[in-house]
Amino acid sequence: MGAKTAVVAFCDTDPAFVLRAGDAAEPGAARELVEHLFPGRVGGSIGPGYLADAVLPGEYVYAGAFPGLEIVCGGPVVQDLPADFGAPPWKTERKGVYLHTMQSAVDTAMFGVWRDGELLRAVGVSPRHRPWLVGEPFPFEAPWWAGEYRDGAVEGLPFHPMAFGEAALCALFGFVSEGVPGAAPVLDPFQVTLEGFRVD
């Protein structure tokens, strides 16, 4: 699997509930969001991009501010994540923070969900390390840990990390990059458009 992601959403409800409306980010609000998250680092606009492509951890940042949700994607989003995940990556007035990152080059997937500033669940899986688990499992995780999707499983895990990461992306954000068994996407990431910016 060749999927890669780097995405954070700040939301009072399920991010997929907002994203499935298929909106396009307003450039001014998107820039304001990025400047808030990366003060003094934001350069010129690179124009719009589909959510499907924006989540790739490249050099640019893509963002959108929608009713009830702010979302930001791209490599700089995950460069300075806290090692212990004890606090959300950024302060927000939203009740929830949702983080998802995958890197196919090292078959590593990770997600974290905070509610009212408290870490509810965090998972990190990789072929090279023992699973990193914090909090109670989410419902979508059950069949994976039970070994129902063993195709491509790696040592120490009853599944392939990237397949699990795809399932987490679907559960948290409502879409998939390449698709996995048991996932039921509720939105088309080519129907959501974010604004892209250079960040130093």
Side-chain angles (χ1 to χ4, degrees):
M1 301 184 73
K4 301 176 184 179
T5 64
V7 53
V8 174
F10 311 95
C11 194
D12 292 326
T13 183
D14 179 357
F17 179 79
V18 179
L19 293 172
R20 68 185 180 184
D23 291 332
E26 194 280 316
R31 173 174 283 278
E32 184 176 341
L33 172 61
V34 175
E35 289 178 344
H36 172 71
L37 299 176
F38 302 95
R41 297 174 56 191
V42 182
S45 170
I46 61 169
Y50 294 123
L51 175 63
D53 301 318
V55 296
L56 298 174
E59 61 182 302
Y60 304 120
V61 168
Y62 287 84
F66 305 108
L69 174 144
E70 292 82 41
I71 186 169
V72 57
C73 313
V77 172
V78 295
Q79 287 177 352
D80 300 315
L81 288 175
D84 60 1
F85 268 40
W90 291 288
K91 294 185 181 298
T92 177
E93 295 182 359
R94 300 290 183 193
K95 292 182 179 296
V97 179
Y98 300 76
L99 163 73
H100 187 279
T101 178
M102 293 191 298
Q103 179 52 259
S104 59
V106 290
D107 285 338
T108 297
M110 180 170 53
F111 74 83
V113 176
W114 294 260
R115 178 66 59 176
D116 294 323
E118 298 294 327
L119 181 61
L120 291 185
R121 180 63 168 165
V123 175
V125 288
S126 164
R128 296 163 184 78
H129 306 284
R130 294 179 58 185
W132 179 60
L133 308 170
V134 179
E136 294 298 318
F138 288 158
F140 86 87
E141 298 180 50
W144 292 88
W145 295 113
E148 295 184 20
Y149 303 120
R150 288 187 172 274
D151 186 31
V154 299
E155 184 176 355
L157 291 171
F159 49 71
H160 192 282
M162 295 298 291
F164 178 82
E166 282 274 306
L169 182 66
C170 187
L172 299 180
F173 290 90
F175 68 96
V176 294
S177 294
E178 298 185 345
V180 288
V186 298
L187 64 92
D188 181 352
F190 287 99
Q191 295 297 317
V192 180
T193 303
L194 305 181
E195 283 293 318
F197 303 91
R198 294 180 174 84
V199 174
D200 297 331

PDB file of all heavy atoms in Angstrom, residues 93-119:
ATOM      1  N   GLU A  93     -10.463  26.185  20.170  1.00  0.00           N
ATOM      2  CA  GLU A  93     -11.716  26.346  20.898  1.00  0.00           C
ATOM      3  C   GLU A  93     -12.702  25.238  20.565  1.00  0.00           C
ATOM      4  O   GLU A  93     -13.761  25.141  21.201  1.00  0.00           O
ATOM      5  CB  GLU A  93     -12.335  27.711  20.575  1.00  0.00           C
ATOM      6  CG  GLU A  93     -11.488  28.886  21.068  1.00  0.00           C
ATOM      7  CD  GLU A  93     -12.143  30.221  20.782  1.00  0.00           C
ATOM      8  OE1 GLU A  93     -13.244  30.226  20.178  1.00  0.00           O
ATOM      9  OE2 GLU A  93     -11.557  31.258  21.171  1.00  0.00           O
ATOM     10  N   ARG A  94     -12.376  24.414  19.595  1.00  0.00           N
ATOM     11  CA  ARG A  94     -13.236  23.289  19.246  1.00  0.00           C
ATOM     12  C   ARG A  94     -13.138  22.198  20.321  1.00  0.00           C
ATOM     13  O   ARG A  94     -12.109  22.054  20.980  1.00  0.00           O
ATOM     14  CB  ARG A  94     -12.835  22.696  17.902  1.00  0.00           C
ATOM     15  CG  ARG A  94     -12.912  23.668  16.744  1.00  0.00           C
ATOM     16  CD  ARG A  94     -14.332  24.005  16.403  1.00  0.00           C
ATOM     17  NE  ARG A  94     -14.417  24.886  15.236  1.00  0.00           N
ATOM     18  CZ  ARG A  94     -15.514  25.529  14.891  1.00  0.00           C
ATOM     19  NH1 ARG A  94     -16.623  25.399  15.611  1.00  0.00           N
ATOM     20  NH2 ARG A  94     -15.514  26.317  13.827  1.00  0.00           N
ATOM     21  N   LYS A  95     -14.187  21.416  20.452  1.00  0.00           N
ATOM     22  CA  LYS A  95     -14.195  20.358  21.451  1.00  0.00           C
ATOM     23  C   LYS A  95     -13.259  19.218  21.100  1.00  0.00           C
ATOM     24  O   LYS A  95     -12.659  18.586  21.961  1.00  0.00           O
ATOM     25  CB  LYS A  95     -15.618  19.818  21.630  1.00  0.00           C
ATOM     26  CG  LYS A  95     -16.590  20.792  22.267  1.00  0.00           C
ATOM     27  CD  LYS A  95     -17.950  20.145  22.442  1.00  0.00           C
ATOM     28  CE  LYS A  95     -18.922  21.109  23.106  1.00  0.00           C
ATOM     29  NZ  LYS A  95     -18.493  21.464  24.476  1.00  0.00           N
ATOM     30  N   GLY A  96     -13.138  18.933  19.798  1.00  0.00           N
ATOM     31  CA  GLY A  96     -12.358  17.776  19.387  1.00  0.00           C
ATOM     32  C   GLY A  96     -11.195  18.115  18.482  1.00  0.00           C
ATOM     33  O   GLY A  96     -11.247  19.072  17.709  1.00  0.00           O
ATOM     34  N   VAL A  97     -10.127  17.328  18.592  1.00  0.00           N
ATOM     35  CA  VAL A  97      -8.975  17.406  17.696  1.00  0.00           C
ATOM     36  C   VAL A  97      -8.729  15.989  17.179  1.00  0.00           C
ATOM     37  O   VAL A  97      -8.659  15.033  17.961  1.00  0.00           O
ATOM     38  CB  VAL A  97      -7.722  17.933  18.406  1.00  0.00           C
ATOM     39  CG1 VAL A  97      -6.530  17.966  17.448  1.00  0.00           C
ATOM     40  CG2 VAL A  97      -7.969  19.310  18.988  1.00  0.00           C
ATOM     41  N   TYR A  98      -8.596  15.872  15.870  1.00  0.00           N
ATOM     42  CA  TYR A  98      -8.424  14.571  15.226  1.00  0.00           C
ATOM     43  C   TYR A  98      -7.155  14.614  14.380  1.00  0.00           C
ATOM     44  O   TYR A  98      -7.030  15.443  13.480  1.00  0.00           O
ATOM     45  CB  TYR A  98      -9.615  14.260  14.322  1.00  0.00           C
ATOM     46  CG  TYR A  98     -10.945  14.212  15.029  1.00  0.00           C
ATOM     47  CD1 TYR A  98     -11.599  15.385  15.424  1.00  0.00           C
ATOM     48  CD2 TYR A  98     -11.573  12.998  15.287  1.00  0.00           C
ATOM     49  CE1 TYR A  98     -12.820  15.346  16.069  1.00  0.00           C
ATOM     50  CE2 TYR A  98     -12.800  12.941  15.936  1.00  0.00           C
ATOM     51  CZ  TYR A  98     -13.411  14.122  16.323  1.00  0.00           C
ATOM     52  OH  TYR A  98     -14.631  14.089  16.967  1.00  0.00           O
ATOM     53  N   LEU A  99      -6.237  13.715  14.657  1.00  0.00           N
ATOM     54  CA  LEU A  99      -4.959  13.650  13.945  1.00  0.00           C
ATOM     55  C   LEU A  99      -4.818  12.300  13.270  1.00  0.00           C
ATOM     56  O   LEU A  99      -5.131  11.259  13.865  1.00  0.00           O
ATOM     57  CB  LEU A  99      -3.805  13.851  14.927  1.00  0.00           C
ATOM     58  CG  LEU A  99      -2.411  13.432  14.454  1.00  0.00           C
ATOM     59  CD1 LEU A  99      -1.884  14.420  13.413  1.00  0.00           C
ATOM     60  CD2 LEU A  99      -1.454  13.323  15.618  1.00  0.00           C
ATOM     61  N   HIS A 100      -4.333  12.316  12.033  1.00  0.00           N
ATOM     62  CA  HIS A 100      -4.053  11.056  11.338  1.00  0.00           C
ATOM     63  C   HIS A 100      -2.807  11.232  10.494  1.00  0.00           C
ATOM     64  O   HIS A 100      -2.655  12.218   9.776  1.00  0.00           O
ATOM     65  CB  HIS A 100      -5.222  10.665  10.434  1.00  0.00           C
ATOM     66  CG  HIS A 100      -5.072   9.312   9.816  1.00  0.00           C
ATOM     67  ND1 HIS A 100      -4.310   9.081   8.690  1.00  0.00           N
ATOM     68  CD2 HIS A 100      -5.573   8.100  10.182  1.00  0.00           C
ATOM     69  CE1 HIS A 100      -4.359   7.797   8.383  1.00  0.00           C
ATOM     70  NE2 HIS A 100      -5.118   7.182   9.267  1.00  0.00           N
ATOM     71  N   THR A 101      -1.907  10.266  10.584  1.00  0.00           N
ATOM     72  CA  THR A 101      -0.708  10.298   9.749  1.00  0.00           C
ATOM     73  C   THR A 101      -0.303   8.871   9.374  1.00  0.00           C
ATOM     74  O   THR A 101      -0.380   7.946  10.192  1.00  0.00           O
ATOM     75  CB  THR A 101       0.454  11.030  10.453  1.00  0.00           C
ATOM     76  OG1 THR A 101       1.615  10.982   9.613  1.00  0.00           O
ATOM     77  CG2 THR A 101       0.783  10.420  11.793  1.00  0.00           C
ATOM     78  N   MET A 102       0.079   8.695   8.129  1.00  0.00           N
ATOM     79  CA  MET A 102       0.598   7.418   7.628  1.00  0.00           C
ATOM     80  C   MET A 102       1.819   7.706   6.764  1.00  0.00           C
ATOM     81  O   MET A 102       1.889   8.745   6.113  1.00  0.00           O
ATOM     82  CB  MET A 102      -0.426   6.674   6.765  1.00  0.00           C
ATOM     83  CG  MET A 102      -1.645   6.162   7.487  1.00  0.00           C
ATOM     84  SD  MET A 102      -2.637   5.014   6.463  1.00  0.00           S
ATOM     85  CE  MET A 102      -3.126   6.053   5.084  1.00  0.00           C
ATOM     86  N   GLN A 103       2.742   6.772   6.745  1.00  0.00           N
ATOM     87  CA  GLN A 103       3.923   6.898   5.899  1.00  0.00           C
ATOM     88  C   GLN A 103       4.259   5.522   5.338  1.00  0.00           C
ATOM     89  O   GLN A 103       4.766   4.649   6.049  1.00  0.00           O
ATOM     90  CB  GLN A 103       5.097   7.465   6.696  1.00  0.00           C
ATOM     91  CG  GLN A 103       6.385   7.605   5.910  1.00  0.00           C
ATOM     92  CD  GLN A 103       6.217   8.357   4.614  1.00  0.00           C
ATOM     93  OE1 GLN A 103       6.144   7.751   3.537  1.00  0.00           O
ATOM     94  NE2 GLN A 103       6.126   9.684   4.707  1.00  0.00           N
ATOM     95  N   SER A 104       3.953   5.328   4.062  1.00  0.00           N
ATOM     96  CA  SER A 104       4.132   4.014   3.457  1.00  0.00           C
ATOM     97  C   SER A 104       5.598   3.619   3.332  1.00  0.00           C
ATOM     98  O   SER A 104       5.918   2.426   3.277  1.00  0.00           O
ATOM     99  CB  SER A 104       3.463   3.978   2.081  1.00  0.00           C
ATOM    100  OG  SER A 104       4.020   4.964   1.229  1.00  0.00           O
ATOM    101  N   ALA A 105       6.508   4.593   3.289  1.00  0.00           N
ATOM    102  CA  ALA A 105       7.928   4.269   3.147  1.00  0.00           C
ATOM    103  C   ALA A 105       8.439   3.445   4.324  1.00  0.00           C
ATOM    104  O   ALA A 105       9.380   2.653   4.178  1.00  0.00           O
ATOM    105  CB  ALA A 105       8.748   5.550   3.009  1.00  0.00           C
ATOM    106  N   VAL A 106       7.821   3.630   5.498  1.00  0.00           N
ATOM    107  CA  VAL A 106       8.236   2.881   6.685  1.00  0.00           C
ATOM    108  C   VAL A 106       7.073   2.089   7.270  1.00  0.00           C
ATOM    109  O   VAL A 106       7.164   1.565   8.385  1.00  0.00           O
ATOM    110  CB  VAL A 106       8.823   3.818   7.758  1.00  0.00           C
ATOM    111  CG1 VAL A 106      10.171   4.361   7.315  1.00  0.00           C
ATOM    112  CG2 VAL A 106       7.874   4.966   8.072  1.00  0.00           C
ATOM    113  N   ASP A 107       5.961   1.995   6.528  1.00  0.00           N
ATOM    114  CA  ASP A 107       4.785   1.229   6.960  1.00  0.00           C
ATOM    115  C   ASP A 107       4.336   1.595   8.372  1.00  0.00           C
ATOM    116  O   ASP A 107       4.080   0.722   9.211  1.00  0.00           O
ATOM    117  CB  ASP A 107       5.071  -0.276   6.879  1.00  0.00           C
ATOM    118  CG  ASP A 107       5.066  -0.779   5.445  1.00  0.00           C
ATOM    119  OD1 ASP A 107       4.458  -0.117   4.578  1.00  0.00           O
ATOM    120  OD2 ASP A 107       5.675  -1.831   5.181  1.00  0.00           O
ATOM    121  N   THR A 108       4.246   2.879   8.631  1.00  0.00           N
ATOM    122  CA  THR A 108       3.860   3.367   9.952  1.00  0.00           C
ATOM    123  C   THR A 108       2.554   4.158   9.853  1.00  0.00           C
ATOM    124  O   THR A 108       2.380   4.967   8.949  1.00  0.00           O
ATOM    125  CB  THR A 108       4.955   4.268  10.543  1.00  0.00           C
ATOM    126  OG1 THR A 108       6.140   3.494  10.720  1.00  0.00           O
ATOM    127  CG2 THR A 108       4.534   4.830  11.896  1.00  0.00           C
ATOM    128  N   ALA A 109       1.651   3.909  10.792  1.00  0.00           N
ATOM    129  CA  ALA A 109       0.385   4.641  10.856  1.00  0.00           C
ATOM    130  C   ALA A 109       0.148   5.086  12.292  1.00  0.00           C
ATOM    131  O   ALA A 109       0.501   4.376  13.243  1.00  0.00           O
ATOM    132  CB  ALA A 109      -0.773   3.765  10.378  1.00  0.00           C
ATOM    133  N   MET A 110      -0.454   6.253  12.446  1.00  0.00           N
ATOM    134  CA  MET A 110      -0.684   6.802  13.777  1.00  0.00           C
ATOM    135  C   MET A 110      -1.917   7.682  13.752  1.00  0.00           C
ATOM    136  O   MET A 110      -2.169   8.382  12.775  1.00  0.00           O
ATOM    137  CB  MET A 110       0.543   7.611  14.216  1.00  0.00           C
ATOM    138  CG  MET A 110       0.457   8.248  15.584  1.00  0.00           C
ATOM    139  SD  MET A 110       2.060   8.917  16.126  1.00  0.00           S
ATOM    140  CE  MET A 110       2.490   9.957  14.730  1.00  0.00           C
ATOM    141  N   PHE A 111      -2.701   7.637  14.824  1.00  0.00           N
ATOM    142  CA  PHE A 111      -3.794   8.591  14.961  1.00  0.00           C
ATOM    143  C   PHE A 111      -3.974   8.952  16.422  1.00  0.00           C
ATOM    144  O   PHE A 111      -3.564   8.222  17.329  1.00  0.00           O
ATOM    145  CB  PHE A 111      -5.103   8.054  14.357  1.00  0.00           C
ATOM    146  CG  PHE A 111      -5.796   6.981  15.169  1.00  0.00           C
ATOM    147  CD1 PHE A 111      -6.627   7.310  16.234  1.00  0.00           C
ATOM    148  CD2 PHE A 111      -5.645   5.641  14.837  1.00  0.00           C
ATOM    149  CE1 PHE A 111      -7.280   6.332  16.968  1.00  0.00           C
ATOM    150  CE2 PHE A 111      -6.288   4.656  15.557  1.00  0.00           C
ATOM    151  CZ  PHE A 111      -7.112   4.996  16.634  1.00  0.00           C
ATOM    152  N   GLY A 112      -4.577  10.116  16.636  1.00  0.00           N
ATOM    153  CA  GLY A 112      -4.891  10.570  17.989  1.00  0.00           C
ATOM    154  C   GLY A 112      -6.170  11.359  17.976  1.00  0.00           C
ATOM    155  O   GLY A 112      -6.456  12.070  17.013  1.00  0.00           O
ATOM    156  N   VAL A 113      -6.959  11.226  19.029  1.00  0.00           N
ATOM    157  CA  VAL A 113      -8.210  11.973  19.174  1.00  0.00           C
ATOM    158  C   VAL A 113      -8.265  12.560  20.570  1.00  0.00           C
ATOM    159  O   VAL A 113      -8.090  11.830  21.566  1.00  0.00           O
ATOM    160  CB  VAL A 113      -9.442  11.087  18.924  1.00  0.00           C
ATOM    161  CG1 VAL A 113     -10.731  11.878  19.183  1.00  0.00           C
ATOM    162  CG2 VAL A 113      -9.429  10.535  17.508  1.00  0.00           C
ATOM    163  N   TRP A 114      -8.470  13.865  20.632  1.00  0.00           N
ATOM    164  CA  TRP A 114      -8.597  14.565  21.907  1.00  0.00           C
ATOM    165  C   TRP A 114     -10.006  15.123  22.029  1.00  0.00           C
ATOM    166  O   TRP A 114     -10.610  15.538  21.037  1.00  0.00           O
ATOM    167  CB  TRP A 114      -7.612  15.719  21.996  1.00  0.00           C
ATOM    168  CG  TRP A 114      -6.173  15.344  22.034  1.00  0.00           C
ATOM    169  CD1 TRP A 114      -5.360  15.269  23.130  1.00  0.00           C
ATOM    170  CD2 TRP A 114      -5.327  15.026  20.906  1.00  0.00           C
ATOM    171  NE1 TRP A 114      -4.089  14.927  22.763  1.00  0.00           N
ATOM    172  CE2 TRP A 114      -4.037  14.764  21.403  1.00  0.00           C
ATOM    173  CE3 TRP A 114      -5.559  14.935  19.529  1.00  0.00           C
ATOM    174  CZ2 TRP A 114      -2.977  14.420  20.579  1.00  0.00           C
ATOM    175  CZ3 TRP A 114      -4.506  14.578  18.702  1.00  0.00           C
ATOM    176  CH2 TRP A 114      -3.226  14.325  19.230  1.00  0.00           C
ATOM    177  N   ARG A 115     -10.526  15.167  23.231  1.00  0.00           N
ATOM    178  CA  ARG A 115     -11.822  15.781  23.494  1.00  0.00           C
ATOM    179  C   ARG A 115     -11.677  16.713  24.682  1.00  0.00           C
ATOM    180  O   ARG A 115     -11.226  16.299  25.745  1.00  0.00           O
ATOM    181  CB  ARG A 115     -12.874  14.704  23.784  1.00  0.00           C
ATOM    182  CG  ARG A 115     -14.264  15.231  24.134  1.00  0.00           C
ATOM    183  CD  ARG A 115     -14.900  15.945  22.976  1.00  0.00           C
ATOM    184  NE  ARG A 115     -15.051  15.122  21.786  1.00  0.00           N
ATOM    185  CZ  ARG A 115     -15.650  15.504  20.668  1.00  0.00           C
ATOM    186  NH1 ARG A 115     -16.162  16.722  20.587  1.00  0.00           N
ATOM    187  NH2 ARG A 115     -15.739  14.707  19.621  1.00  0.00           N
ATOM    188  N   ASP A 116     -12.020  17.981  24.486  1.00  0.00           N
ATOM    189  CA  ASP A 116     -11.879  18.998  25.529  1.00  0.00           C
ATOM    190  C   ASP A 116     -10.464  19.007  26.115  1.00  0.00           C
ATOM    191  O   ASP A 116     -10.265  19.144  27.320  1.00  0.00           O
ATOM    192  CB  ASP A 116     -12.902  18.772  26.645  1.00  0.00           C
ATOM    193  CG  ASP A 116     -14.331  18.994  26.161  1.00  0.00           C
ATOM    194  OD1 ASP A 116     -14.540  19.909  25.333  1.00  0.00           O
ATOM    195  OD2 ASP A 116     -15.225  18.250  26.588  1.00  0.00           O
ATOM    196  N   GLY A 117      -9.468  18.849  25.241  1.00  0.00           N
ATOM    197  CA  GLY A 117      -8.071  18.914  25.643  1.00  0.00           C
ATOM    198  C   GLY A 117      -7.499  17.644  26.231  1.00  0.00           C
ATOM    199  O   GLY A 117      -6.298  17.572  26.502  1.00  0.00           O
ATOM    200  N   GLU A 118      -8.325  16.612  26.414  1.00  0.00           N
ATOM    201  CA  GLU A 118      -7.872  15.355  26.995  1.00  0.00           C
ATOM    202  C   GLU A 118      -7.736  14.294  25.905  1.00  0.00           C
ATOM    203  O   GLU A 118      -8.605  14.152  25.044  1.00  0.00           O
ATOM    204  CB  GLU A 118      -8.859  14.869  28.062  1.00  0.00           C
ATOM    205  CG  GLU A 118      -9.016  15.808  29.244  1.00  0.00           C
ATOM    206  CD  GLU A 118      -7.742  15.915  30.073  1.00  0.00           C
ATOM    207  OE1 GLU A 118      -7.014  14.909  30.166  1.00  0.00           O
ATOM    208  OE2 GLU A 118      -7.473  16.997  30.612  1.00  0.00           O
ATOM    209  N   LEU A 119      -6.644  13.549  25.966  1.00  0.00           N
ATOM    210  CA  LEU A 119      -6.402  12.503  24.983  1.00  0.00           C
ATOM    211  C   LEU A 119      -7.344  11.324  25.239  1.00  0.00           C
ATOM    212  O   LEU A 119      -7.304  10.707  26.297  1.00  0.00           O
ATOM    213  CB  LEU A 119      -4.949  12.032  25.053  1.00  0.00           C
ATOM    214  CG  LEU A 119      -4.523  10.948  24.067  1.00  0.00           C
ATOM    215  CD1 LEU A 119      -4.676  11.434  22.631  1.00  0.00           C
ATOM    216  CD2 LEU A 119      -3.079  10.515  24.335  1.00  0.00           C
TER     217      LEU A 119
END
